Amino acid sequence: MKLLLIEDEIALADNINAYLSTSEVVCEVATSYNIAIDKLGIYKYDIIILDIMLPDGNGLDIVRYLKENQLESGILIISAKNSLDDRVDGLELGADDYLTKPFHLSELNARLKAIYRRRKFQGHKTLQLNELQIDTDNHEVTIDAELVELTVKEYELLLFFVSNKNRVLTKQTIAEHLWGDNVDFLDSFDFVYQHIKNLRKKIAAAGGQDNIKTIYGLGYKLVVE
């Protein structure tokens, strides 16, 4: 899961980033409206965590920007303003959820996962793709009830393919989803090929179908009929 946290309170942003950033989650931070708009113009995110009150703009204008540009990110608004009007405005503009400060980080995490499931997998915790089954709560993949041992990046890669089935994904898109801004410091995306190769090999070894196809000159596609 790739997140963008838009929050000008540095201490809070650091705490949220430290809590959410794991080997399974890439969390990037923007501390102002302008930085956020710059990032949204370059990268794609699964979910935007958005404070309404920013030093150089209104967070609700970012919601408008996302909708006007047809960006498919989920939106979770966080704000110290416990105002019904702000909550209603945000939800009517297209936000998925609203969380009032102060909040527990565990609740924030739970709401993010719920938004991700709703937007990517119609709310399902278990995903079925032919003989392959993904338990998104326990991060387990099985083929005909046999556990497939995947690394964290391989699991996230598989989930990314499933959430974008029948769509071509470029190496750069995959790299940005799995590594965030850090891809800017890489000389090539060869590691993407290696991860895909390992994922295919493990699925095949467990008796699964290889539905990940190479689209030469473009990238990769999970083909599902």
Side-chain angles (χ1 to χ4, degrees):
M1 188 192 309
K2 186 177 179 183
L3 312 173
L4 176 61
L5 169 63
I6 306 172
E7 170 61 65
D8 65 307
E9 294 182 39
I10 303 300
L12 177 60
D14 288 345
N15 286 338
I16 293 175
N17 187 26
Y19 184 86
L20 295 178
S21 291
T22 66
S23 52
E24 300 166 2
V25 177
V26 174
C27 183
E28 297 174 9
V29 178
T31 54
S32 71
Y33 176 93
N34 288 324
I35 293 174
I37 293 297
D38 287 344
K39 283 183 171 289
L40 291 170
I42 300 173
Y43 304 110
K44 293 183 179 180
Y45 299 92
D46 294 308
I47 302 177
I48 312 298
I49 309 168
L50 171 64
D51 190 358
I52 291 178
M53 301 297 293
L54 297 171
D56 56 346
N58 189 321
L60 294 180
D61 288 333
I62 293 179
V63 181
R64 294 186 181 94
Y65 172 88
L66 291 167
K67 299 306 174 182
E68 289 170 0
N69 290 275
Q70 299 181 336
L71 301 180
E72 298 178 354
S73 305
I75 305 169
L76 174 62
I77 292 175
I78 57 173
S79 178
K81 295 176 64 177
N82 191 13
S83 166
L84 179 60
D85 289 342
D86 286 333
R87 186 178 307 183
V88 170
D89 288 346
L91 295 175
E92 286 188 344
L93 285 170
D96 295 274
D97 204 352
Y98 188 109
L99 191 58
T100 302
K101 300 176 184 178
F103 50 79
H104 292 290
L105 294 176
S106 57
E107 181 181 4
L108 172 66
N109 191 36
R111 295 202 186 202
L112 291 171
K113 289 181 178 178
I115 292 172
Y116 189 76
R117 285 197 300 266
R118 286 200 302 269
R119 297 187 69 90
K120 297 292 186 179
F121 311 121
Q122 293 77 50
H124 299 303
K125 295 183 179 181
T126 301
L127 311 176
Q128 190 76 40
L129 182 66
N130 299 324
E131 69 283 351
L132 186 148
Q133 188 175 79
I134 303 174
D135 182 339
T136 61
D137 268 357
N138 295 313
H139 298 178
E140 291 183 347
V141 176
T142 55
I143 293 178
D144 294 330
E146 178 184 346
L147 185 65
V148 182
E149 296 286 351
L150 300 179
T151 66
V152 171
K153 290 301 183 187
E154 289 165 358
Y155 172 83
E156 287 299 314
L157 177 60
L158 176 60
L159 207 60
F160 191 45
F161 273 119
V162 171
S163 64
N164 290 278
K165 55 182 180 290
N166 295 321
R167 294 174 59 183
V168 176
L169 301 175
T170 66
K171 286 184 179 181
Q172 180 169 345
T173 297
I174 294 169
E176 288 176 356
H177 178 79
L178 296 179
W179 281 271
D181 284 345
N182 292 327
V183 300
D184 293 338
F185 304 102
L186 300 174
D187 294 328
S188 72
F189 299 131
D190 291 344
F191 61 89
V192 172
Y193 165 77
Q194 191 61 47
H195 279 293
I196 292 174
K197 178 182 177 182
N198 292 340
L199 177 60
R200 282 171 157 171
K201 183 184 296 184
K202 290 181 180 181
I203 290 175
Q209 300 179 41
D210 181 10
N211 293 312
I212 301 173
K213 307 302 180 184
T214 301
I215 311 300
Y216 291 100
L218 295 175
Y220 302 90
K221 179 196 290 189
L222 178 66
V223 179
V224 180
E225 297 181 357

